Amino acid sequence: MKFNIEDLPVLFPYPRIYPEQYAYMCDLKRTLDAGGHCVLEMPSGTGKTVSLLSLIVAYQQYYPEHRKLIYCSRTMSEIEKALAELRGLMKYRAEQLGYEEDFRGLGLTSRKNLCLHPSVKREKSGSVVDARCRSLTAGFVKEKKERGEDVDLCIYHENLDLLEPHNLIPAGVWTLDGMLQYGEQQKQCPYFTARRMMPFCNVIIYSYHYLLDPKIAERVSKELSKDCIVVFDEAHNIDNVCIESLSIDLTEDALRKATNGATKLDRKIMEMKSTDAAKLQNEYAKLVEGLREADEARDDGAFMANPALPDDLLKEAVPGNIRRAEHFIAFLKRFVEYLKTRMKVLHVISETPPSFLQHLKELTFIEKKPLRFCAERLTSLVRTLELSNIEDYQSLQEVASFATLVATYDTGFLLILEPYESESATVSNPVLHLTCLDAAIAIKPVFDRFSSVIITSGTISPLEMYPKMLGFTTVVQESYSMTLARRSFLPMIVTRGSDQGDISSGFQIRNDPGVVRNYGNLLTEFAKLTPDGIVVFFPSYLYMESIISYWQGMGILDQVWKYKLILVETPDSQETSLALETYRTACSNGRGAVLLCVARGKVSEGIDFDHHYGRTVICIGVPFQYTESRILKARLEFLRETYRIKENDFLSFDAMRHAAQCLGRVLRGKDDYGIMVLADRRFQKKRGQLPKWINQALLDSDTNLSVDQATATARKFLKTMSLPFPARFQEGISTWSAEDLAKHKAKLEEEKIRELQHGSGDRHVHGQDVIREAEGEFDEEGIDDAMMELDA
Ligand SMILES: Nc1ncnc2c1ncn2[C@@H]1O[C@H](COP(=O)(O)OP(=O)(O)OP(=O)(O)O)[C@@H](O)[C@H]1O
Ligand code: SF4
């Protein structure tokens, strides 16, 4: 389908477009034109990915700036899905234009997913794959080979050097699978192919970490230009990704390994002194010039990851006391010993970085300045010593990163030392957390560097929370409703059991047998009435386990078992994958199944239960975070003091974004249908925090139901859904042909002219105008007539 948004011609690879897709694209264009950032919430399953890609590729190809698109997604399967969508789009464009555009689109994921080396790719852990790959590809290993030494290289990496650097793979869009196949045919490494081709790509699709984790971003994404368009898809959790990328936990075991690493490095330094002292001397001379100089030789094999350092620091000379390799190691050892003594306390300590540094200085005379250089200084040393088995130094690197972070940031971080794993534990197992409290720190470089950053998801309400927490301003902030030709999803809040007793996971009553039984009855009733799959979300593993054992005792599971197979998510991802597979088989072949899982777990994020795989989703309880966690408490305090976000507001926002994610799992498109049950009386007050598209579909009469009322409503809903609903009923309402679109544009145009006459015209088409128009079209009576016709 072809259409224009203002002056921009857009090619859209489907014959029909949803009104919300068009609205979304109008707002995207507005953002790009204005050169600013935006937050957009688009209902689940309404084709956000294809809308983003169609508009941005059109923009890229039409305007002379040819702004590159960096599209960040969360999981490998989402990256693969977006690449497949992009490939479809480019194929469609070629058909319509009559020629293939000069275009490259590539995806990047970790070495673990893209490695082809026969033995390295078999490693289970990502960090081992990384380390082994580095030992086969580092510049000095190659030099050694050239000198005739007996070292192994990776042939898949070597072959890349034989190709033209800007043409390692033919133009076009490559899915990850496609790249693996091409790499195998040509015997070239897909991971390095993608990384080296990044400067020559029009679209790059990769995971968040390549931009947000400063340790990786510095290596992978530093050459991207300012006018790139950055998209964070599925961004409802982006603040947590930011925080995790800058938080470090140290345990006693890690410190022991760090000491071993330091001792090994000492030995290596001695060896090098006796064989090739000039190398160390050379490094020393470079460090006088500053880290940037010392770092120049670093190739894309990147040794170790370091936290971001302010630019000025990289230009400064490295402090004298850590310039010599042996002095630096002595310095690190002293720091590790200090940390070990801190671990010995028996009560919880929480302190700010300045207070930690003060204490450190008093006891060990270690100053802040050399600490800041630790991470980079260690990288430089590991490179100078030409070490290949980096795994041995991983813990030492963690300590060095810890040192750099604690000495770089005075605010936005907190140190929390917890001697025991839990309140009731008697054997100490101390952990020193350096926890980042401010999500804005990790994402700031992204907002500073790129002119347009698009934050989008199906569930990102309340929209204003994100600019506040992440410290940016938007040009557009919008949440779209879902245009539907029939009510295809049924959200409801269940507050009571059939006995009128409360339903809630509130702390005081969550283990009350009456409440547990009511939850059990709710599940049994829905197991009876739902065809195929039911997904049930609990607030935590602990609570899920306790309810399951109660249900077992009460005979509830036996009841459910009569209607459905029961499967459970566990923290083990392999077990969960197996449970999911069985669940899908049961939904496809048998009476269906119930999947019991947790909000915030793997299933709640990124697993789709489309069509018969999910006809009912039940949220048992409000998925609040565990509020006794010290780290969470510290973050809440920080948010209150710095961003004026109240504790309760944040907790409630966080719980509701996860609840909405769970609900969104079952609605994967306009032809899908499903029931969304929010089972907790507290949801009544939190309704306003649901995404607009869910809230609008939630009728007032469905916000305070008992289990039997909910069952009756659900039965009625499923009965309507079982009637055939041909696609033509959606035409002109929830799907638009080119003519429908032209009609709506003409209407908008008329309205604009009228507004202009009254003196308030605007050049841009606003997404909300489109949706308003589309909603005006909703012809309930017409649909009812059509349904009756069908019935007859
Ligand atoms: N206009 C359209 N007509 C027909 N199919 C479409 C249209 N737009 C998108 N689709 C298809 O609908 C499916 C759902 O799209 P997609 O997964 O992109 O949704 P989404 O909004 O990104 O969902 P979520 O963000 O919740 O995962 C995809 O398979 C996509 O190809
Ligand atoms: S270069 Fe590529 S193929 Fe070779 S070990 Fe590294 S990731 Fe694997």
Side-chain angles (χ1 to χ4, degrees):
M1 173 173 184
K2 279 189 210 175
F3 54 89
N4 271 41
I5 296 183
E6 288 153 6
D7 56 332
L8 175 70
V10 180
L11 290 172
F12 185 75
Y14 291 96
R16 301 187 149 268
I17 187 166
Y18 309 148
E20 49 274 49
Q21 286 183 317
Y22 182 70
Y24 185 78
M25 286 157 100
C26 291
D27 285 334
L28 269 177
K29 177 166 186 300
R30 205 147 62 87
T31 309
L32 299 183
D33 285 348
H37 315 309
C38 66
V39 180
L40 305 177
E41 181 177 67
M42 171 91 153
S44 285
T46 47
K48 180 165 28 79
T49 315
V50 74
S51 316
L52 272 167
L53 292 173
S54 306
L55 186 102
I56 296 176
V57 170
Y59 204 94
Q60 196 173 62
Q61 299 294 332
Y62 184 71
Y63 295 113
E65 298 86 14
H66 299 302
R67 295 169 69 179
K68 195 193 279 273
L69 165 63
I70 306 167
Y71 186 112
C72 304
S73 206
R74 284 172 320 173
T75 60
M76 191 174 153
S77 69
E78 274 162 4
I79 294 173
E80 192 70 335
K81 231 169 71 182
L83 283 165
E85 222 44 280
L86 178 63
R87 201 171 52 178
L89 170 68
M90 294 318 290
K91 190 163 159 261
Y92 177 77
R93 287 182 66 93
E95 284 161 14
Q96 293 299 312
L97 296 169
Y99 62 90
E100 297 239 348
E101 290 161 290
D102 181 20
F103 186 91
R104 275 178 204 279
L106 287 181
L108 179 66
T109 159
S110 63
R111 286 180 177 86
K112 184 172 177 316
N113 299 324
L114 289 179
C115 180
L116 287 175
H117 189 282
S119 76
V120 179
K121 75 175 177 191
R122 278 205 294 272
E123 296 289 354
K124 287 210 174 62
S125 134
S127 58
V128 177
V129 173
D130 287 353
R132 285 201 55 199
C133 169
R134 284 174 191 137
S135 68
L136 296 170
T137 55
F140 66 83
V141 185
K142 204 166 168 187
E143 280 167 26
K144 278 187 184 168
K145 185 85 177 174
E146 279 159 10
R147 288 200 299 266
E149 291 182 36
D150 181 24
V151 286
D152 285 334
L153 295 175
C154 174
I155 186 72
Y156 294 89
H157 183 256
E158 289 310 291
N159 286 345
L160 287 176
D161 293 341
L162 309 175
L163 303 169
E164 290 173 306
H166 61 281
N167 201 16
L168 300 176
I169 191 162
V173 179
W174 292 85
T175 57
L176 299 175
D177 240 8
M179 286 234 296
L180 281 165
Q181 279 172 23
Y182 183 82
E184 199 56 273
Q185 277 164 16
Q186 306 292 322
K187 295 279 168 274
Q188 70 183 63
C189 171
Y191 173 79
F192 282 104
T193 302
R195 267 191 60 174
R196 290 188 190 172
M197 288 303 290
M198 273 177 41
F200 311 103
C201 283
N202 304 70
V203 176
I204 299 158
I205 305 187
Y206 58 27
S207 82
Y208 278 27
H209 296 279
Y210 291 107
L211 265 194
L212 286 185
D213 189 337
K215 300 169 231 147
I216 310 174
E218 198 222 338
R219 302 281 187 272
V220 179
S221 307
K222 67 177 170 196
E223 278 164 10
L224 301 172
S225 66
K226 182 167 173 48
D227 69 350
C228 287
I229 301 165
V230 176
V231 173
F232 287 105
D233 195 3
E234 307 296 343
H236 47 273
N237 247 344
I238 194 166
D239 53 318
N240 290 331
V241 180
C242 291
I243 279 176
E244 278 161 27
S245 71
L246 284 180
S247 296
I248 298 179
D249 287 353
L250 293 178
T251 57
E252 279 190 321
D253 185 48
L255 293 180
R256 244 189 326 271
K257 285 187 184 150
T259 307
N260 293 345
T263 314
K264 269 191 198 157
L265 278 184
D266 243 350
R267 258 203 315 274
K268 295 279 177 192
I269 294 168
M270 288 306 146
E271 275 169 35
M272 185 162 265
K273 267 193 168 168
S274 58
T275 56
D276 201 352
K279 270 206 181 116
L280 287 170
Q281 193 50 43
N282 193 14
E283 184 198 33
Y284 180 90
K286 278 189 179 161
L287 291 176
V288 178
E289 303 286 317
L291 281 168
R292 178 115 317 144
E293 291 296 312
D295 223 21
E296 280 216 324
R298 182 162 57 191
D299 72 345
D300 57 2
F303 273 102
M304 285 186 179
N306 295 329
L309 281 178
D311 222 36
D312 55 327
L313 200 71
L314 291 169
K315 290 184 202 124
E316 266 182 62
V318 172
N321 61 342
I322 59 167
R323 242 179 260 162
R324 285 215 179 280
E326 59 275 29
H327 293 172
F328 175 56
I329 294 301
F331 176 90
L332 270 184
K333 277 183 171 169
R334 207 152 27 110
F335 184 59
V336 175
E337 286 314 310
Y338 169 79
L339 291 176
K340 281 183 183 166
T341 58
R342 292 295 309 261
M343 293 284 210
K344 300 233 180 305
V345 291
L346 293 175
H347 54 273
V348 177
I349 291 179
S350 101
E351 61 182 337
T352 59
S355 130
F356 173 86
L357 293 174
Q358 179 69 26
H359 188 254
L360 173 71
K361 191 173 163 191
E362 280 164 16
L363 252 80
T364 62
F365 302 107
I366 289 180
E367 299 267 352
K368 178 173 171 175
K369 186 157 181 198
L371 269 184
R372 290 179 78 187
F373 284 86
C374 272
E376 285 288 330
R377 175 68 189 91
L378 181 61
T379 305
S380 162
L381 178 62
V382 168
R383 205 189 60 244
T384 308
L385 293 174
E386 302 184 345
L387 302 174
S388 45
N389 45 340
I390 313 233
E391 292 143 274
D392 296 350
Y393 311 104
Q394 213 96 50
S395 296
L396 191 60
Q397 182 66 35
E398 255 173 50
V399 171
S401 298
F402 179 98
T404 298
L405 283 176
V406 81
T408 305
Y409 297 99
D410 286 350
T411 54
F413 281 80
L414 194 70
L415 291 118
I416 300 176
L417 179 71
E418 289 184 314
Y420 298 99
E421 252 173 82
S422 65
E423 295 291 328
S424 54
T426 48
V427 180
S428 94
N429 183 16
V431 183
L432 178 56
H433 308 272
L434 172 63
T435 159
C436 175
L437 305 172
D438 190 358
I441 296 176
I443 205 167
K444 185 170 183 298
V446 178
F447 285 121
D448 286 351
R449 181 145 151 225
F450 300 109
S451 52
S452 295
V453 179
I454 292 147
I455 307 262
T456 187
S457 168
T459 55
I460 198 162
S461 286
L463 303 182
E464 59 284 0
M465 193 63 118
Y466 290 83
K468 239 191 212 175
M469 274 192 311
L470 302 175
F472 70 104
T473 49
T474 56
V475 288
V476 181
Q477 211 166 291
E478 211 58 82
S479 174
Y480 307 90
S481 36
M482 194 163 183
T483 57
L484 290 169
R486 65 171 175 173
R487 199 172 172 221
S488 62
F489 65 103
L490 173 72
M492 53 165 95
I493 301 177
V494 179
T495 54
R496 294 160 286 133
S498 306
D499 60 357
Q500 302 305 314
D502 274 338
I503 272 200
S504 171
S505 69
F507 212 69
Q508 300 81 5
I509 58 166
R510 58 163 53 180
N511 288 324
D512 190 304
V515 173
V516 177
R517 185 176 299 280
N518 277 336
Y519 272 134
N521 290 341
L522 178 73
L523 178 62
T524 317
E525 291 305 319
F526 273 88
K528 280 185 201 165
L529 68 90
T530 306
D532 308 314
I534 304 183
V535 194
V536 183
F537 288 98
F538 293 83
S540 67
Y541 281 111
L542 213 65
Y543 186 49
M544 176 167 78
E545 279 164 23
S546 95
I547 282 231
I548 289 179
S549 75
Y550 275 120
W551 282 351
Q552 177 69 17
M554 292 172 172
I556 287 171
L557 292 184
D558 294 334
Q559 286 289 323
V560 176
W561 193 257
K562 285 189 197 154
Y563 305 94
K564 308 258 173 222
L565 201 63
I566 303 171
L567 293 142
V568 184
E569 178 184 14
T570 69
D572 181 302
S573 65
Q574 273 182 351
E575 266 176 22
T576 302
S577 301
L578 196 68
L580 261 173
E581 216 181 296
T582 320
Y583 172 82
R584 287 187 189 276
T585 316
C587 290
S588 300
N589 301 336
R591 296 165 301 168
V594 177
L595 184 65
L596 305 178
C597 34
V598 289
R600 301 165 202 278
K602 184 183 168 213
V603 174
S604 73
E605 293 277 336
I607 308 267
D608 294 344
F609 296 95
D610 56 317
H611 299 99
H612 64 294
Y613 293 125
R615 287 303 183 201
T616 296
V617 57
I618 305 178
C619 246
I620 293 211
V622 184
F624 282 117
Q625 288 192 60
Y626 173 60
T627 41
E628 291 308 301
S629 144
R630 290 190 181 87
I631 295 177
L632 176 62
K633 279 185 178 161
R635 185 165 178 218
L636 290 175
E637 200 180 316
F638 177 84
L639 285 171
R640 177 167 41 81
E641 282 173 7
T642 316
Y643 296 118
R644 304 268 164 262
I645 299 173
K646 287 191 208 133
E647 278 99 334
N648 281 341
D649 290 351
F650 179 80
L651 286 172
S652 179
F653 145 79
D654 182 67
M656 290 311 283
R657 66 172 156 179
H658 283 99
Q661 260 305 299
C662 299
L663 299 183
R665 299 295 95 207
V666 292
L667 198 69
R668 308 311 309 163
K670 295 239 160 165
D671 55 346
D672 203 355
Y673 67 89
I675 302 169
M676 303 171 169
V677 184
L678 291 159
D680 192 313
R681 62 178 151 88
R682 295 172 298 172
F683 278 120
Q684 269 182 305
K685 285 209 183 117
K686 304 195 179 304
R687 171 183 179 176
Q689 283 168 313
L690 283 169
K692 183 171 162 188
W693 62 276
I694 300 183
N695 197 6
Q696 276 182 345
L698 176 59
L699 302 181
D700 287 339
S701 55
D702 291 342
T703 54
N704 185 12
L705 301 178
S706 63
V707 170
D708 42 3
Q709 287 170 330
T711 323
T713 314
R715 272 190 214 283
K716 214 160 102 198
F717 170 79
L718 286 172
K719 205 165 154 199
T720 342
M721 288 300 111
S722 65
L723 293 173
F725 193 75
R728 70 188 154 87
F729 289 175
Q730 304 209 24
E731 289 168 11
I733 301 167
S734 61
T735 64
W736 282 348
S737 63
E739 297 79 65
D740 293 325
L741 180 57
K743 225 164 66 189
H744 283 271
K745 279 166 78 174
K747 235 186 214 176
L748 281 181
E749 212 47 51
E750 263 174 38
E751 215 172 80
K752 219 190 262 175
I753 291 170
R754 229 173 302 135
E755 270 175 23
L756 265 179
Q757 284 164 349
H758 292 93
S760 60
D762 189 336
R763 194 178 74 83
H764 285 284
V765 183
H766 288 248
Q768 278 316 328
D769 302 336
V770 179
I771 290 287
R772 235 187 315 111
E773 278 297 317
E775 281 173 346
E777 284 291 301
F778 192 100
D779 176 6
E780 213 160 328
E781 270 178 33
I783 292 291
D784 281 349
D785 291 348
M787 296 291 283
M788 269 172 0
E789 210 179 281
L790 263 179
D791 265 352

